[in-house]
Structure formats: structure tokens, C-alpha cells
Amino acid sequence: MPAIVVLGAQWGDEGKGKATDLLATSDPIDYVVRTSGGHNAGHTIVIDGEKFATHLLPSGILTPGATSVIANGVVVSPEALFEELDALLERGVEIGGLVVSANAHVIASYHGVVDKVSERFLGKNKIGTTGRGIGPAYADKINRVGIRVADLFDEGILREKVDAALEVRNQLLTKVYNRRGVEAEAVVEELLSYAERLRPMVADTSLLLNRALDEGCTVLFEGAQATMLDVDHGTYPFVTSSNPIAGGVCTGAGVGPTRIDRVIGVIKAYTTRVGSGPFPTELFDDDGERLQRIGGEIGVSTGRTRRCGWYDAVVARYSARVNGLTEFFLTKLDVLDHWDRIPVCVAYEIDGVRHDEMPMTQTEFHHARPVYEFFDGWGGDISGCRSFADLPKNAQVYVHALEEMSGAKFWGVGVGPGREQTLVVHP
Ligand code: GDP
Ligand code: IMO
Ligand code: MG
């Protein structure tokens, strides 16, 4: 039985929440798993016209019968976790099981402080992070001074680890950033205050998921962030601090690559990006403003306006390659209803040379100019279409052309935010 990965193929906010929700409701899914990132994610799900947003929790938390898992590769802010859970409970959402890995690293309040001051310190070179402490928490993990969920249940060890983590951090905060240091005891108290509520949720999630797969359960790995934000394969340094690509699912969940059956890349019919960094098809004209407005391109987590541009098939092919995509899920086709002529970037021109694939260096990528092909619009509202054959001819041509140039088949197409607004291209 399948292990399915759903991930972002561009710079995030492609509609992963919707794709996950759709998969989880069309076939019975036993587990929905987050494997990287933290509450920097913002996934929107619209059920019967009602809108939900998840951040640290997988979108599967809204699927009756599915168990949600926060696996070892995620960085967990206990404060954000309980805030999110409580907000859902307050709305009367019936929440299934939630399991958190004992090995997941913890985001404490000082990680958020460091995130914000280091961004300020970078000035015009800032990354434009979500300010959630994601980078500093992963930095501590790699520096081997991180706090893990299991540490919250041993006060002595927790105290030792917090002391070790703050030793260098406080030097940096006081001597480099000119800030007040963080008091270790306050951090210990803060983390201990979550221990009791967290304890029953904590397990060895790698063991749990591998056993579930052995027993024939269906496991859906819900990606956060996206391929072009991957710390290894994205537009470094303008990236997040984790591996949101398909390979990151294996390290982030403790599940081997041979167990994965499908890898679905979610991709918008145009492109958006939040935060700093290169973006070859970005628009600074009226079209960009219209994509932003019609597409409702405002960040779910930070409320920031998303930068907008046309579909970039070079990015799509790159994503298909580094993730080994078995298929794409194309979202927001309906947003393009309003254009008579739709440009698609098929290659880059870099210093007078055509590049059909992602250039080798970031410097080249910063200089990439899009080479466009143009498609005729379909001049009508497609949000009511319920099968691919219902789409106007030009919309079908557009989808097939993108599929042809993007490096993997298109499984489905979104024509609106609702569950029902999805057309299957290849069942
Ligand atoms: P995620 O982070 O990848 O889960 O995506 P976000 O939730 O941040 O942003 C995607 C936005 O697009 C949300 O507001 C979704 O409700 C919306 N959305 C998803 N699919 C479609 C679609 O096919 N058409 C339209 N118009 N909106 C969509
Ligand atoms: P979802 O899962 C879009 C971006 C931030 C910033 C960079 C680093 O909703 O697609 P971080 O706080 O992670 O250190 O910020 O990554 N970023 C996202 N952009 N969607 C996201 O998540 C993102 N998560 C992080 O804007 O540019
Ligand atoms: Mg999002």
C-alpha cells in the first residue's frame, strides 16, 4: 500500500494543503505526516466554503480517521503547537490522533529572538524569514546544541542542554547583536510548562510509520515550504533551513526511499514567492498586481504580499528532477481566466546564452531572463468545471502544453480553492 509524498514544486504556497486534503478525503488515509520545517508553513484548506489554515500541524488533522504525525525532521514550537490545536478545538473541529516524534527538535522563544535580530543585522541582505525561529533551531540541531522533544521529560538533562545551547548564543546576543542575554532558567521553565500536555503524544514515529507501512496502511507525507526553498537545492542563501524536497522525507521521517510509491509536486499555473531572493519570471507591472489580487496572494502565516510572476517551466523541470516526481498537481488555473494571452517561461537567457535547464551557479540564476512562449487565454470562468473535458479548449491546450514541458504527468488541476474544484487529468 502506498506511501505518498506531496511537496511544493516552486517557492511555496502552491496549494499543498488543498492537495493533501483532497488525497486524504478521496482515499482512506491512515497517517498524514509532516517531516520538515515548522510553523513557518501556512496551508489553507477550504471545506464546504469554510476556510482553515494549518501551520505546524499537518492538514490531515482535519481528516476524520487519519492520525497526524509530526516526525523527527520538524522543528516544534510547543507554544505554536498548542495554540494551533486549541484554535481548532475552539472551532469545534474533531481532531484525530496526533503523534509527535521524541527526536524532533524544539523551538524555544530564544530561537525567534535570534531569527529576528539576525535578520535586522543583515539589513538589505536579509532573507525575509517568517521570524518563527526556524533557522536558529536548525542551526542548533546541526551544531549539536539543540533541545529535542524527549529532553522535556528529564529536567536535569534539559537544564544541561539549555545551558549548553545558551552559552554561545548569549555571547552572540550580547556582544555581537547588542541585546540582552537569555536567562537559562526562564527557558527551562517555559519548556517544562508544556511537558505534561505533550507527553502522551510523544512516540518513536519512525517505528510507528514503518510498522504502519508493513501493515498496509496508507501514509501521506505532507510537504511544507518547497523545492526552491530547499537549503541544498533551492536559491541559497534565500531559502529555508531544511530539506523540503522528496529526499528530506526519508531523513525527516526515518522511512527509507524504497518505501515511497508516489511523489506529487504541487505547482501553481503561475509563480509566487514570499521573502527575498531571485525570481526570474517576477512581474513588476499591472499583470503582477493583477495576479496578486485575483490570486489572493497574501501569506497565510505572515500576511505578507506574495511576489507574482508567470509559470516557469525551467523550475518545473528542475523540481521534477530533484524530487523524482511521479506527477504534478496543477493549482489555480482559474486565476488565469482573466488573461487573453498567457506567457510561459520555457528557458532562460543568461548573458546572451540560452539555458533550458537550471544554471549551475546562483550568480547565473540571478542574471536569468525568461524566454517566453505565449498561449491564448480561454476568456471565461472555469471555476464551475467539474471534469477536465468541461474546460474550454484553450485551457486544455494550456494544461497539456505545461505538462509537455514540465517533466512529469499532470495528475490533477485545481480550478478553485474548494475540495470539489479539482479536475483529474490522468486518473
Ligand atoms: P500551501 O502553503 O502550499 O498549502 O498553499 P497556501 O495555502 O499557502 O496558498 C494556496 C492558496 O490557494 C490558498 O488560499 C488555497 O485556498 C488556494 N487554492 C488552492 N488551490 C486553488 C485553486 O485551484 N484555485 C484557487 N483559486 N485557489 C486555490
Ligand atoms: P508553505 O508550507 C512560502 C520562506 C520565507 C523566507 C524563507 C526563509 O506555506 O509553502 P524561514 O522562516 O523558513 O527561515 O524563511 O522561506 N518560506 C516560505 N515561503 N511558503 C512557505 O511555507 C514558507 N516557509 C518559509 O518567506 O523567504
Ligand atoms: Mg502556504
Side-chain angles (χ1 to χ4, degrees), residues 13-18 42-44 300 306 332 334 414-417:
D13 305 321
E14 299 90 348
K16 297 176 290 292
K18 174 181 162 159
H43 298 179
T44 317
V300 183
R306 296 173 183 152
K332 300 194 113 166
D334 53 300
V415 294

Side-chain angles (χ1 to χ4, degrees), residues 3 206 210 213 221 249-251 253-261:
S206 167
N210 279 283
L213 288 167
F221 296 98
V249 168
C250 297
T251 48
V255 166
T258 50
R259 308 216 69 159
I260 311 285
D261 300 280

Side-chain angles (χ1 to χ4, degrees), residues 335-349:
V335 173
L336 300 182
D337 284 353
H338 306 268
W339 275 267
D340 299 330
R341 200 179 71 138
I342 306 164
V344 170
C345 168
V346 294
Y348 300 142
E349 199 209 274

